[in-house]
Amino acid sequence: REWQPTDERSVERLAEALKRLQAGVNGYDVSVFVKPGGLCPFCNMTLALLRRELSAREFSLHEADLLHDEREALKVMVKDQLGERVLTYPVIYIRGARLAGGYEELKALNDSPDGLTRALAAGRTIFEPPSKAALLDALPSKSERPKLLYQAGNKPWLTFQTLLFGNVLRLVALFQVVLLILALALYDSSPKAGAVIMFFVGLDALLFVLSGPSPIEPLGALATFLVWRRRGAVASAIPYKVTFCLYAVGCIANLPCGLSSDDEGSGESSSSCISPNGKGLATTLMINSLILGIFRF
């Protein structure tokens, strides 16, 4: 599933969320979905109003938190009704029909003569989620181009990124494997060329640590462009930044050693080198990146 197109993975998740909403809406006269945490004042006022009305008239009331997946699914489902507006809390359904707005609209309905009474007496509207195919077509990223100026989790990109997409990381690691294999192949005949390639790997790793897979970091930008449609799940970038920090230190420190090596093939470096064993370092990093690219541990 990790390599399943990201939109298709999203559809599976949103479809399950809509099923949960369907049960909550179709099984009750009034369903109220509120912001989790209990700190939304309009949600609290809505529930208080409905509980007062519940003591004066007979109707079934369903209260539930509107979690992330449910909210995203509803936004896709009612986007034509919302236009450019956002889906605000609380979300209210009366007899299966969504009440446009929230507390203010419910209060206005209740204050109008027999407004809430008529709404509760109306015929039921069946909450029917769209098919998975319709959901897929409705997803905003269905046809979008790769987003390079973007951090996973929809956070600012020009910063110390703490989140990334799993398959972007995988491809960055596999790019590293290719470059390190090339460096190893060149080390015997041209240690300087091998050291320069390793320096690039280290510099790219340093940029990954400081920013993340963004246009600032070449391998990350290329990986994002290539796997955007199958970018995978959002994951924490911190463990990988720690690993790549070690890459950066080793590969950058190896450059003076490689440049001072004998180009005739002896590969001997100055005894004062911080990282004299370039081939050993390249082999170690290549194996680690290969494991990272396959398993994303």
Side-chain angles (χ1 to χ4, degrees), residues 24-59:
V25 172
N26 289 340
Y28 298 85
D29 293 320
V30 180
S31 300
V32 182
F33 300 97
V34 301
K35 188 174 185 177
L39 299 179
C40 168
F42 289 107
C43 300
N44 296 334
M45 288 189 290
T46 296
L47 292 176
L49 186 156
L50 288 170
R51 288 166 185 163
R52 288 196 303 270
E53 291 300 316
L54 193 58
S55 63
R57 68 184 83 205
E58 186 176 345
F59 63 92

PDB file of all heavy atoms in Angstrom, residues 24-59:
ATOM      1  N   GLY A  24     -23.939   8.075  11.637  1.00  0.00           N
ATOM      2  CA  GLY A  24     -24.320   9.096  12.604  1.00  0.00           C
ATOM      3  C   GLY A  24     -25.407  10.020  12.110  1.00  0.00           C
ATOM      4  O   GLY A  24     -26.226  10.500  12.899  1.00  0.00           O
ATOM      5  N   VAL A  25     -25.449  10.274  10.804  1.00  0.00           N
ATOM      6  CA  VAL A  25     -26.439  11.205  10.248  1.00  0.00           C
ATOM      7  C   VAL A  25     -27.774  10.510  10.000  1.00  0.00           C
ATOM      8  O   VAL A  25     -28.844  11.025  10.363  1.00  0.00           O
ATOM      9  CB  VAL A  25     -25.911  11.835   8.943  1.00  0.00           C
ATOM     10  CG1 VAL A  25     -27.009  12.641   8.246  1.00  0.00           C
ATOM     11  CG2 VAL A  25     -24.708  12.722   9.236  1.00  0.00           C
ATOM     12  N   ASN A  26     -27.742   9.344   9.382  1.00  0.00           N
ATOM     13  CA  ASN A  26     -28.990   8.678   8.993  1.00  0.00           C
ATOM     14  C   ASN A  26     -29.731   8.051  10.169  1.00  0.00           C
ATOM     15  O   ASN A  26     -30.920   7.758  10.065  1.00  0.00           O
ATOM     16  CB  ASN A  26     -28.704   7.599   7.943  1.00  0.00           C
ATOM     17  CG  ASN A  26     -28.336   8.192   6.593  1.00  0.00           C
ATOM     18  OD1 ASN A  26     -28.642   9.351   6.311  1.00  0.00           O
ATOM     19  ND2 ASN A  26     -27.670   7.418   5.749  1.00  0.00           N
ATOM     20  N   GLY A  27     -29.050   7.852  11.276  1.00  0.00           N
ATOM     21  CA  GLY A  27     -29.695   7.182  12.406  1.00  0.00           C
ATOM     22  C   GLY A  27     -30.326   8.116  13.420  1.00  0.00           C
ATOM     23  O   GLY A  27     -30.892   7.647  14.415  1.00  0.00           O
ATOM     24  N   TYR A  28     -30.256   9.437  13.192  1.00  0.00           N
ATOM     25  CA  TYR A  28     -30.749  10.392  14.195  1.00  0.00           C
ATOM     26  C   TYR A  28     -31.481  11.545  13.511  1.00  0.00           C
ATOM     27  O   TYR A  28     -31.254  11.842  12.336  1.00  0.00           O
ATOM     28  CB  TYR A  28     -29.585  10.945  15.026  1.00  0.00           C
ATOM     29  CG  TYR A  28     -28.857   9.884  15.812  1.00  0.00           C
ATOM     30  CD1 TYR A  28     -27.834   9.138  15.224  1.00  0.00           C
ATOM     31  CD2 TYR A  28     -29.191   9.614  17.137  1.00  0.00           C
ATOM     32  CE1 TYR A  28     -27.164   8.155  15.937  1.00  0.00           C
ATOM     33  CE2 TYR A  28     -28.524   8.635  17.858  1.00  0.00           C
ATOM     34  CZ  TYR A  28     -27.516   7.908  17.252  1.00  0.00           C
ATOM     35  OH  TYR A  28     -26.860   6.938  17.954  1.00  0.00           O
ATOM     36  N   ASP A  29     -32.332  12.211  14.292  1.00  0.00           N
ATOM     37  CA  ASP A  29     -33.022  13.392  13.771  1.00  0.00           C
ATOM     38  C   ASP A  29     -32.052  14.569  13.621  1.00  0.00           C
ATOM     39  O   ASP A  29     -32.102  15.300  12.631  1.00  0.00           O
ATOM     40  CB  ASP A  29     -34.175  13.787  14.703  1.00  0.00           C
ATOM     41  CG  ASP A  29     -35.287  12.752  14.716  1.00  0.00           C
ATOM     42  OD1 ASP A  29     -35.603  12.207  13.637  1.00  0.00           O
ATOM     43  OD2 ASP A  29     -35.824  12.469  15.803  1.00  0.00           O
ATOM     44  N   VAL A  30     -31.223  14.760  14.630  1.00  0.00           N
ATOM     45  CA  VAL A  30     -30.240  15.844  14.592  1.00  0.00           C
ATOM     46  C   VAL A  30     -28.868  15.258  14.913  1.00  0.00           C
ATOM     47  O   VAL A  30     -28.710  14.542  15.912  1.00  0.00           O
ATOM     48  CB  VAL A  30     -30.572  16.964  15.599  1.00  0.00           C
ATOM     49  CG1 VAL A  30     -29.527  18.078  15.518  1.00  0.00           C
ATOM     50  CG2 VAL A  30     -31.967  17.522  15.342  1.00  0.00           C
ATOM     51  N   SER A  31     -27.901  15.558  14.073  1.00  0.00           N
ATOM     52  CA  SER A  31     -26.524  15.116  14.300  1.00  0.00           C
ATOM     53  C   SER A  31     -25.629  16.344  14.332  1.00  0.00           C
ATOM     54  O   SER A  31     -25.697  17.194  13.436  1.00  0.00           O
ATOM     55  CB  SER A  31     -26.066  14.164  13.190  1.00  0.00           C
ATOM     56  OG  SER A  31     -26.898  13.022  13.135  1.00  0.00           O
ATOM     57  N   VAL A  32     -24.810  16.433  15.372  1.00  0.00           N
ATOM     58  CA  VAL A  32     -23.911  17.573  15.534  1.00  0.00           C
ATOM     59  C   VAL A  32     -22.484  17.046  15.641  1.00  0.00           C
ATOM     60  O   VAL A  32     -22.176  16.233  16.516  1.00  0.00           O
ATOM     61  CB  VAL A  32     -24.255  18.397  16.789  1.00  0.00           C
ATOM     62  CG1 VAL A  32     -23.318  19.600  16.902  1.00  0.00           C
ATOM     63  CG2 VAL A  32     -25.699  18.853  16.748  1.00  0.00           C
ATOM     64  N   PHE A  33     -21.630  17.526  14.752  1.00  0.00           N
ATOM     65  CA  PHE A  33     -20.220  17.125  14.752  1.00  0.00           C
ATOM     66  C   PHE A  33     -19.398  18.341  15.169  1.00  0.00           C
ATOM     67  O   PHE A  33     -19.462  19.395  14.525  1.00  0.00           O
ATOM     68  CB  PHE A  33     -19.806  16.625  13.372  1.00  0.00           C
ATOM     69  CG  PHE A  33     -20.608  15.425  12.927  1.00  0.00           C
ATOM     70  CD1 PHE A  33     -21.706  15.578  12.092  1.00  0.00           C
ATOM     71  CD2 PHE A  33     -20.279  14.154  13.366  1.00  0.00           C
ATOM     72  CE1 PHE A  33     -22.452  14.480  11.688  1.00  0.00           C
ATOM     73  CE2 PHE A  33     -21.016  13.049  12.973  1.00  0.00           C
ATOM     74  CZ  PHE A  33     -22.108  13.212  12.132  1.00  0.00           C
ATOM     75  N   VAL A  34     -18.650  18.181  16.256  1.00  0.00           N
ATOM     76  CA  VAL A  34     -17.979  19.316  16.878  1.00  0.00           C
ATOM     77  C   VAL A  34     -16.466  19.166  16.797  1.00  0.00           C
ATOM     78  O   VAL A  34     -15.937  18.091  16.521  1.00  0.00           O
ATOM     79  CB  VAL A  34     -18.410  19.459  18.353  1.00  0.00           C
ATOM     80  CG1 VAL A  34     -19.908  19.660  18.454  1.00  0.00           C
ATOM     81  CG2 VAL A  34     -17.970  18.244  19.170  1.00  0.00           C
ATOM     82  N   LYS A  35     -15.792  20.269  17.072  1.00  0.00           N
ATOM     83  CA  LYS A  35     -14.331  20.270  17.087  1.00  0.00           C
ATOM     84  C   LYS A  35     -13.838  19.506  18.313  1.00  0.00           C
ATOM     85  O   LYS A  35     -14.284  19.771  19.432  1.00  0.00           O
ATOM     86  CB  LYS A  35     -13.815  21.709  17.123  1.00  0.00           C
ATOM     87  CG  LYS A  35     -12.314  21.834  16.946  1.00  0.00           C
ATOM     88  CD  LYS A  35     -11.917  23.301  16.841  1.00  0.00           C
ATOM     89  CE  LYS A  35     -10.432  23.447  16.542  1.00  0.00           C
ATOM     90  NZ  LYS A  35     -10.056  24.875  16.376  1.00  0.00           N
ATOM     91  N   PRO A  36     -12.927  18.554  18.132  1.00  0.00           N
ATOM     92  CA  PRO A  36     -12.435  17.783  19.282  1.00  0.00           C
ATOM     93  C   PRO A  36     -11.772  18.682  20.325  1.00  0.00           C
ATOM     94  O   PRO A  36     -11.168  19.702  20.000  1.00  0.00           O
ATOM     95  CB  PRO A  36     -11.413  16.825  18.650  1.00  0.00           C
ATOM     96  CG  PRO A  36     -11.788  16.747  17.206  1.00  0.00           C
ATOM     97  CD  PRO A  36     -12.340  18.096  16.863  1.00  0.00           C
ATOM     98  N   GLY A  37     -11.903  18.296  21.567  1.00  0.00           N
ATOM     99  CA  GLY A  37     -11.236  19.020  22.644  1.00  0.00           C
ATOM    100  C   GLY A  37     -12.158  19.831  23.527  1.00  0.00           C
ATOM    101  O   GLY A  37     -11.793  20.217  24.634  1.00  0.00           O
ATOM    102  N   GLY A  38     -13.369  20.124  23.045  1.00  0.00           N
ATOM    103  CA  GLY A  38     -14.334  20.848  23.859  1.00  0.00           C
ATOM    104  C   GLY A  38     -14.068  22.328  24.020  1.00  0.00           C
ATOM    105  O   GLY A  38     -14.677  22.979  24.875  1.00  0.00           O
ATOM    106  N   LEU A  39     -13.159  22.905  23.208  1.00  0.00           N
ATOM    107  CA  LEU A  39     -12.803  24.315  23.362  1.00  0.00           C
ATOM    108  C   LEU A  39     -13.448  25.217  22.310  1.00  0.00           C
ATOM    109  O   LEU A  39     -13.132  26.404  22.247  1.00  0.00           O
ATOM    110  CB  LEU A  39     -11.275  24.475  23.304  1.00  0.00           C
ATOM    111  CG  LEU A  39     -10.491  23.736  24.399  1.00  0.00           C
ATOM    112  CD1 LEU A  39      -8.995  23.948  24.214  1.00  0.00           C
ATOM    113  CD2 LEU A  39     -10.934  24.198  25.785  1.00  0.00           C
ATOM    114  N   CYS A  40     -14.325  24.643  21.485  1.00  0.00           N
ATOM    115  CA  CYS A  40     -14.999  25.436  20.452  1.00  0.00           C
ATOM    116  C   CYS A  40     -16.263  26.055  21.054  1.00  0.00           C
ATOM    117  O   CYS A  40     -17.217  25.335  21.372  1.00  0.00           O
ATOM    118  CB  CYS A  40     -15.341  24.545  19.259  1.00  0.00           C
ATOM    119  SG  CYS A  40     -16.469  25.293  18.068  1.00  0.00           S
ATOM    120  N   PRO A  41     -16.314  27.375  21.246  1.00  0.00           N
ATOM    121  CA  PRO A  41     -17.481  27.988  21.907  1.00  0.00           C
ATOM    122  C   PRO A  41     -18.774  27.812  21.117  1.00  0.00           C
ATOM    123  O   PRO A  41     -19.839  27.592  21.709  1.00  0.00           O
ATOM    124  CB  PRO A  41     -17.088  29.467  22.023  1.00  0.00           C
ATOM    125  CG  PRO A  41     -16.012  29.670  21.008  1.00  0.00           C
ATOM    126  CD  PRO A  41     -15.281  28.376  20.906  1.00  0.00           C
ATOM    127  N   PHE A  42     -18.708  27.911  19.788  1.00  0.00           N
ATOM    128  CA  PHE A  42     -19.923  27.748  18.988  1.00  0.00           C
ATOM    129  C   PHE A  42     -20.438  26.311  19.064  1.00  0.00           C
ATOM    130  O   PHE A  42     -21.646  26.077  19.046  1.00  0.00           O
ATOM    131  CB  PHE A  42     -19.662  28.153  17.537  1.00  0.00           C
ATOM    132  CG  PHE A  42     -19.483  29.633  17.361  1.00  0.00           C
ATOM    133  CD1 PHE A  42     -18.236  30.175  17.099  1.00  0.00           C
ATOM    134  CD2 PHE A  42     -20.570  30.488  17.468  1.00  0.00           C
ATOM    135  CE1 PHE A  42     -18.072  31.543  16.949  1.00  0.00           C
ATOM    136  CE2 PHE A  42     -20.423  31.859  17.313  1.00  0.00           C
ATOM    137  CZ  PHE A  42     -19.160  32.390  17.061  1.00  0.00           C
ATOM    138  N   CYS A  43     -19.511  25.355  19.153  1.00  0.00           N
ATOM    139  CA  CYS A  43     -19.926  23.955  19.315  1.00  0.00           C
ATOM    140  C   CYS A  43     -20.645  23.772  20.650  1.00  0.00           C
ATOM    141  O   CYS A  43     -21.704  23.132  20.724  1.00  0.00           O
ATOM    142  CB  CYS A  43     -18.710  23.030  19.251  1.00  0.00           C
ATOM    143  SG  CYS A  43     -17.786  23.108  17.705  1.00  0.00           S
ATOM    144  N   ASN A  44     -20.072  24.345  21.696  1.00  0.00           N
ATOM    145  CA  ASN A  44     -20.671  24.207  23.028  1.00  0.00           C
ATOM    146  C   ASN A  44     -22.036  24.883  23.101  1.00  0.00           C
ATOM    147  O   ASN A  44     -22.975  24.349  23.712  1.00  0.00           O
ATOM    148  CB  ASN A  44     -19.730  24.793  24.081  1.00  0.00           C
ATOM    149  CG  ASN A  44     -18.420  24.022  24.173  1.00  0.00           C
ATOM    150  OD1 ASN A  44     -18.368  22.840  23.843  1.00  0.00           O
ATOM    151  ND2 ASN A  44     -17.361  24.690  24.610  1.00  0.00           N
ATOM    152  N   MET A  45     -22.172  26.054  22.473  1.00  0.00           N
ATOM    153  CA  MET A  45     -23.465  26.745  22.480  1.00  0.00           C
ATOM    154  C   MET A  45     -24.498  25.972  21.668  1.00  0.00           C
ATOM    155  O   MET A  45     -25.683  25.927  22.033  1.00  0.00           O
ATOM    156  CB  MET A  45     -23.300  28.163  21.934  1.00  0.00           C
ATOM    157  CG  MET A  45     -22.561  29.096  22.880  1.00  0.00           C
ATOM    158  SD  MET A  45     -22.576  30.839  22.364  1.00  0.00           S
ATOM    159  CE  MET A  45     -21.518  30.786  20.924  1.00  0.00           C
ATOM    160  N   THR A  46     -24.056  25.357  20.574  1.00  0.00           N
ATOM    161  CA  THR A  46     -24.971  24.551  19.758  1.00  0.00           C
ATOM    162  C   THR A  46     -25.510  23.372  20.555  1.00  0.00           C
ATOM    163  O   THR A  46     -26.724  23.101  20.564  1.00  0.00           O
ATOM    164  CB  THR A  46     -24.247  24.046  18.495  1.00  0.00           C
ATOM    165  OG1 THR A  46     -23.889  25.163  17.685  1.00  0.00           O
ATOM    166  CG2 THR A  46     -25.134  23.105  17.695  1.00  0.00           C
ATOM    167  N   LEU A  47     -24.615  22.670  21.232  1.00  0.00           N
ATOM    168  CA  LEU A  47     -25.042  21.510  22.018  1.00  0.00           C
ATOM    169  C   LEU A  47     -25.951  21.935  23.170  1.00  0.00           C
ATOM    170  O   LEU A  47     -26.942  21.248  23.475  1.00  0.00           O
ATOM    171  CB  LEU A  47     -23.815  20.765  22.546  1.00  0.00           C
ATOM    172  CG  LEU A  47     -22.954  20.068  21.483  1.00  0.00           C
ATOM    173  CD1 LEU A  47     -21.714  19.455  22.115  1.00  0.00           C
ATOM    174  CD2 LEU A  47     -23.758  18.994  20.752  1.00  0.00           C
ATOM    175  N   ALA A  48     -25.632  23.062  23.796  1.00  0.00           N
ATOM    176  CA  ALA A  48     -26.474  23.540  24.898  1.00  0.00           C
ATOM    177  C   ALA A  48     -27.879  23.878  24.399  1.00  0.00           C
ATOM    178  O   ALA A  48     -28.884  23.545  25.051  1.00  0.00           O
ATOM    179  CB  ALA A  48     -25.828  24.763  25.550  1.00  0.00           C
ATOM    180  N   LEU A  49     -27.961  24.531  23.239  1.00  0.00           N
ATOM    181  CA  LEU A  49     -29.272  24.884  22.676  1.00  0.00           C
ATOM    182  C   LEU A  49     -30.090  23.629  22.368  1.00  0.00           C
ATOM    183  O   LEU A  49     -31.275  23.540  22.708  1.00  0.00           O
ATOM    184  CB  LEU A  49     -29.071  25.723  21.414  1.00  0.00           C
ATOM    185  CG  LEU A  49     -30.302  26.325  20.736  1.00  0.00           C
ATOM    186  CD1 LEU A  49     -29.907  27.560  19.919  1.00  0.00           C
ATOM    187  CD2 LEU A  49     -31.011  25.330  19.815  1.00  0.00           C
ATOM    188  N   LEU A  50     -29.451  22.661  21.737  1.00  0.00           N
ATOM    189  CA  LEU A  50     -30.173  21.448  21.352  1.00  0.00           C
ATOM    190  C   LEU A  50     -30.577  20.621  22.572  1.00  0.00           C
ATOM    191  O   LEU A  50     -31.651  19.996  22.576  1.00  0.00           O
ATOM    192  CB  LEU A  50     -29.319  20.617  20.395  1.00  0.00           C
ATOM    193  CG  LEU A  50     -29.169  21.201  18.985  1.00  0.00           C
ATOM    194  CD1 LEU A  50     -28.125  20.442  18.186  1.00  0.00           C
ATOM    195  CD2 LEU A  50     -30.517  21.181  18.247  1.00  0.00           C
ATOM    196  N   ARG A  51     -29.754  20.621  23.597  1.00  0.00           N
ATOM    197  CA  ARG A  51     -30.114  19.880  24.810  1.00  0.00           C
ATOM    198  C   ARG A  51     -31.309  20.530  25.503  1.00  0.00           C
ATOM    199  O   ARG A  51     -32.163  19.838  26.067  1.00  0.00           O
ATOM    200  CB  ARG A  51     -28.914  19.794  25.746  1.00  0.00           C
ATOM    201  CG  ARG A  51     -27.830  18.836  25.249  1.00  0.00           C
ATOM    202  CD  ARG A  51     -26.531  19.020  25.996  1.00  0.00           C
ATOM    203  NE  ARG A  51     -25.460  18.200  25.441  1.00  0.00           N
ATOM    204  CZ  ARG A  51     -24.175  18.393  25.688  1.00  0.00           C
ATOM    205  NH1 ARG A  51     -23.792  19.400  26.478  1.00  0.00           N
ATOM    206  NH2 ARG A  51     -23.262  17.607  25.146  1.00  0.00           N
ATOM    207  N   ARG A  52     -31.371  21.870  25.457  1.00  0.00           N
ATOM    208  CA  ARG A  52     -32.550  22.549  26.015  1.00  0.00           C
ATOM    209  C   ARG A  52     -33.801  22.187  25.223  1.00  0.00           C
ATOM    210  O   ARG A  52     -34.862  21.915  25.798  1.00  0.00           O
ATOM    211  CB  ARG A  52     -32.340  24.072  26.002  1.00  0.00           C
ATOM    212  CG  ARG A  52     -31.345  24.591  27.015  1.00  0.00           C
ATOM    213  CD  ARG A  52     -31.491  26.102  27.198  1.00  0.00           C
ATOM    214  NE  ARG A  52     -31.328  26.831  25.944  1.00  0.00           N
ATOM    215  CZ  ARG A  52     -30.152  27.282  25.500  1.00  0.00           C
ATOM    216  NH1 ARG A  52     -29.043  27.056  26.213  1.00  0.00           N
ATOM    217  NH2 ARG A  52     -30.086  27.960  24.376  1.00  0.00           N
ATOM    218  N   GLU A  53     -33.664  22.191  23.897  1.00  0.00           N
ATOM    219  CA  GLU A  53     -34.812  21.849  23.060  1.00  0.00           C
ATOM    220  C   GLU A  53     -35.210  20.388  23.239  1.00  0.00           C
ATOM    221  O   GLU A  53     -36.385  20.036  23.122  1.00  0.00           O
ATOM    222  CB  GLU A  53     -34.489  22.129  21.589  1.00  0.00           C
ATOM    223  CG  GLU A  53     -34.351  23.594  21.250  1.00  0.00           C
ATOM    224  CD  GLU A  53     -35.630  24.361  21.553  1.00  0.00           C
ATOM    225  OE1 GLU A  53     -36.731  23.858  21.226  1.00  0.00           O
ATOM    226  OE2 GLU A  53     -35.534  25.458  22.144  1.00  0.00           O
ATOM    227  N   LEU A  54     -34.224  19.554  23.528  1.00  0.00           N
ATOM    228  CA  LEU A  54     -34.501  18.127  23.708  1.00  0.00           C
ATOM    229  C   LEU A  54     -35.402  17.887  24.916  1.00  0.00           C
ATOM    230  O   LEU A  54     -36.191  16.929  24.939  1.00  0.00           O
ATOM    231  CB  LEU A  54     -33.176  17.369  23.874  1.00  0.00           C
ATOM    232  CG  LEU A  54     -33.211  15.840  23.780  1.00  0.00           C
ATOM    233  CD1 LEU A  54     -33.777  15.386  22.437  1.00  0.00           C
ATOM    234  CD2 LEU A  54     -31.811  15.271  23.974  1.00  0.00           C
ATOM    235  N   SER A  55     -35.311  18.762  25.897  1.00  0.00           N
ATOM    236  CA  SER A  55     -36.173  18.620  27.077  1.00  0.00           C
ATOM    237  C   SER A  55     -37.587  19.118  26.810  1.00  0.00           C
ATOM    238  O   SER A  55     -38.513  18.812  27.561  1.00  0.00           O
ATOM    239  CB  SER A  55     -35.572  19.393  28.257  1.00  0.00           C
ATOM    240  OG  SER A  55     -35.526  20.783  27.971  1.00  0.00           O
ATOM    241  N   ALA A  56     -37.752  19.898  25.721  1.00  0.00           N
ATOM    242  CA  ALA A  56     -39.066  20.473  25.420  1.00  0.00           C
ATOM    243  C   ALA A  56     -39.783  19.741  24.300  1.00  0.00           C
ATOM    244  O   ALA A  56     -41.001  19.894  24.136  1.00  0.00           O
ATOM    245  CB  ALA A  56     -38.911  21.947  25.046  1.00  0.00           C
ATOM    246  N   ARG A  57     -39.059  19.000  23.498  1.00  0.00           N
ATOM    247  CA  ARG A  57     -39.674  18.277  22.382  1.00  0.00           C
ATOM    248  C   ARG A  57     -38.941  16.960  22.184  1.00  0.00           C
ATOM    249  O   ARG A  57     -37.836  16.771  22.684  1.00  0.00           O
ATOM    250  CB  ARG A  57     -39.648  19.124  21.113  1.00  0.00           C
ATOM    251  CG  ARG A  57     -38.265  19.356  20.547  1.00  0.00           C
ATOM    252  CD  ARG A  57     -38.307  20.292  19.351  1.00  0.00           C
ATOM    253  NE  ARG A  57     -38.329  21.689  19.763  1.00  0.00           N
ATOM    254  CZ  ARG A  57     -38.834  22.669  19.032  1.00  0.00           C
ATOM    255  NH1 ARG A  57     -39.402  22.386  17.866  1.00  0.00           N
ATOM    256  NH2 ARG A  57     -38.799  23.918  19.441  1.00  0.00           N
ATOM    257  N   GLU A  58     -39.540  16.081  21.430  1.00  0.00           N
ATOM    258  CA  GLU A  58     -38.964  14.741  21.270  1.00  0.00           C
ATOM    259  C   GLU A  58     -38.249  14.626  19.927  1.00  0.00           C
ATOM    260  O   GLU A  58     -38.854  14.764  18.863  1.00  0.00           O
ATOM    261  CB  GLU A  58     -40.070  13.683  21.363  1.00  0.00           C
ATOM    262  CG  GLU A  58     -39.526  12.259  21.350  1.00  0.00           C
ATOM    263  CD  GLU A  58     -40.617  11.220  21.549  1.00  0.00           C
ATOM    264  OE1 GLU A  58     -41.720  11.605  21.984  1.00  0.00           O
ATOM    265  OE2 GLU A  58     -40.359  10.042  21.251  1.00  0.00           O
ATOM    266  N   PHE A  59     -36.962  14.400  19.981  1.00  0.00           N
ATOM    267  CA  PHE A  59     -36.174  14.092  18.783  1.00  0.00           C
ATOM    268  C   PHE A  59     -34.886  13.417  19.242  1.00  0.00           C
ATOM    269  O   PHE A  59     -34.469  13.546  20.396  1.00  0.00           O
ATOM    270  CB  PHE A  59     -35.875  15.344  17.947  1.00  0.00           C
ATOM    271  CG  PHE A  59     -35.037  16.384  18.640  1.00  0.00           C
ATOM    272  CD1 PHE A  59     -33.653  16.393  18.516  1.00  0.00           C
ATOM    273  CD2 PHE A  59     -35.638  17.370  19.424  1.00  0.00           C
ATOM    274  CE1 PHE A  59     -32.878  17.356  19.143  1.00  0.00           C
ATOM    275  CE2 PHE A  59     -34.871  18.342  20.054  1.00  0.00           C
ATOM    276  CZ  PHE A  59     -33.485  18.335  19.921  1.00  0.00           C
TER     277      PHE A  59
END
